[in-house]
Amino acid sequence: MLVYHLPGTFDTRDDHLDLLWQAGATGLEERAGVIRAYFDEQTPLPEAVRDGEWRQEADQDWLAEFKANLRPVAAGRVTIVPPWLRAEVSAPQVPLIIEPGMAFGTGHHATTRLAVEALSALNLNGRTVLDVGTGSGVLAIAAALLGARYALGVDIDPITIPIARENAELNGVPAGRSAFMEGTLGDELPGDVVEDGVYDVLVANLYAELHDLLAGAYVPHLRPGGPLILTGILLGKLPLVRAALAREGFTDVTVREDGEWALVTARA
Ligand code: SAM
């Protein structure tokens, strides 16, 4: 792999980035005060960017490296693991197997962890759970593994649905106990087995502005008194979510924090 190392950052050399592209760079990356420009072959460069250095580097298999560094993630009673680390989880922890791939939700983001912890703090036996923005299906699958009788995951991104279904299968969740559908709240949820679309628990890992928009739509999907679990919220955006919940009549608001992220629970 041929890499041209140019001192500086994208900010300090903003004017020079186009010169690298024009010279044939196939990719640019900034690492520790150096711009790394990837080239297929050594090529003459314009004067303004000649203060760098050509280097031949060993090819790296980023995916293999990412996978090799994955560790199990404990979140309450559940430990989220890739398939090849399943044996590292022992009772009483419940293993939740997620194949890392294109959909968000491997457990390595604080918001996923916070949401699985919040689900794991509930008694879900025999309950129904709606997971809005299901991604890899991780939260709906966690709910099913924690005893929910039915968990529905919805996502506007169609790519997530087969991934979530595969993950549910990997975890041995029977088809009748989980379902994944493309869509969002406000859409008819076709084939939904829950009467009137009213769930015992609603969990959503989205972002604050979307919680603000959807807060009114959460109400008809949650039984009175049912817990609402919202995350994907940056600490600075908490007031927006609090105001939306107050506006829609949610009570018993609690907040948990992890770094810059917050999880909010409330009751319908
Ligand atoms: N639930 C997973 C987790 O907790 O790790 C994934 C959460 S990921 C942060 C958010 C997901 O919400 C994405 O898969 C995205 O496609 C989906 N999404 C974004 N806007 C949405 C909307 N309006 N309705 C439903 N899903 C949405």
Side-chain angles (χ1 to χ4, degrees):
M1 179 173 52
L2 183 63
V3 188
Y4 185 68
H5 285 223
L6 186 68
T9 66
F10 286 163
D11 271 347
T12 60
R13 309 242 7 191
D14 190 31
D15 293 346
H16 297 158
L17 302 180
D18 267 351
L19 299 176
L20 293 167
W21 289 119
Q22 282 157 15
T26 56
L28 297 182
E29 195 188 10
E30 179 193 312
R31 264 197 243 165
V34 173
I35 295 171
R36 296 165 54 82
Y38 295 86
F39 283 86
D40 290 334
E41 56 185 28
Q42 197 157 330
T43 177
L45 294 172
E47 174 84 45
V49 289
R50 271 195 219 139
D51 53 324
E53 187 188 344
W54 290 100
R55 290 197 196 166
Q56 195 66 46
E57 296 183 357
D59 280 339
Q60 258 170 308
D61 183 339
W62 297 108
L63 185 61
E65 199 171 304
F66 165 73
K67 286 186 164 187
N69 287 325
L70 280 180
R71 300 302 313 145
V73 175
R77 289 182 280 148
V78 173
T79 297
I80 308 165
V81 277
W84 58 93
L85 295 179
R86 163 67 186 84
E88 291 195 13
V89 187
S90 41
Q93 282 303 100
V94 176
L96 195 175
I97 303 162
I98 295 289
E99 176 76 51
M102 299 276 287
F104 188 106
T106 57
H108 291 82
H109 196 270
T111 58
T112 310
R113 246 178 358 252
L114 283 165
V116 174
E117 265 167 29
L119 286 169
S120 138
L122 298 173
N123 177 359
L124 292 178
N125 284 331
R127 303 288 188 197
T128 56
V129 177
L130 177 58
D131 169 18
V132 184
T134 198
S136 66
V138 57
L139 303 183
I141 297 167
L145 295 175
L146 289 164
R149 90 177 141 82
Y150 177 71
L152 172 64
V154 296
D155 202 296
I156 49 163
D157 182 350
I159 209 172
T160 62
I161 305 304
I163 295 173
R165 286 188 185 132
E166 256 172 53
N167 280 322
E169 215 178 296
L170 262 181
N171 285 279
V173 177
R177 299 237 342 261
S178 72
F180 298 93
M181 294 175 197
E182 182 185 343
T184 187
L185 295 188
D187 288 357
E188 259 309 276
L189 297 173
D192 190 357
V193 303
V194 169
E195 202 179 333
D196 299 327
V198 181
Y199 286 76
D200 296 313
V201 178
L202 192 157
V203 61
N205 182 0
L206 298 167
Y207 51 95
E209 290 81 356
L210 194 51
H211 290 312
D212 177 34
L213 279 174
L214 290 179
Y218 293 149
V219 178
H221 283 289
L222 196 52
R223 72 165 163 79
L228 176 73
I229 301 169
L230 303 182
T231 188
I233 303 162
L234 285 166
L235 288 181
K237 300 274 174 71
L238 264 173
L240 181 66
V241 177
R242 281 184 182 279
L245 293 177
R247 183 184 74 223
E248 302 301 337
F250 285 95
T251 58
D252 300 348
V253 175
T254 70
V255 175
R256 285 207 58 191
E257 294 177 13
D258 186 337
E260 60 184 333
W261 296 100
L263 173 133
V264 173
T265 62
R267 291 206 173 267

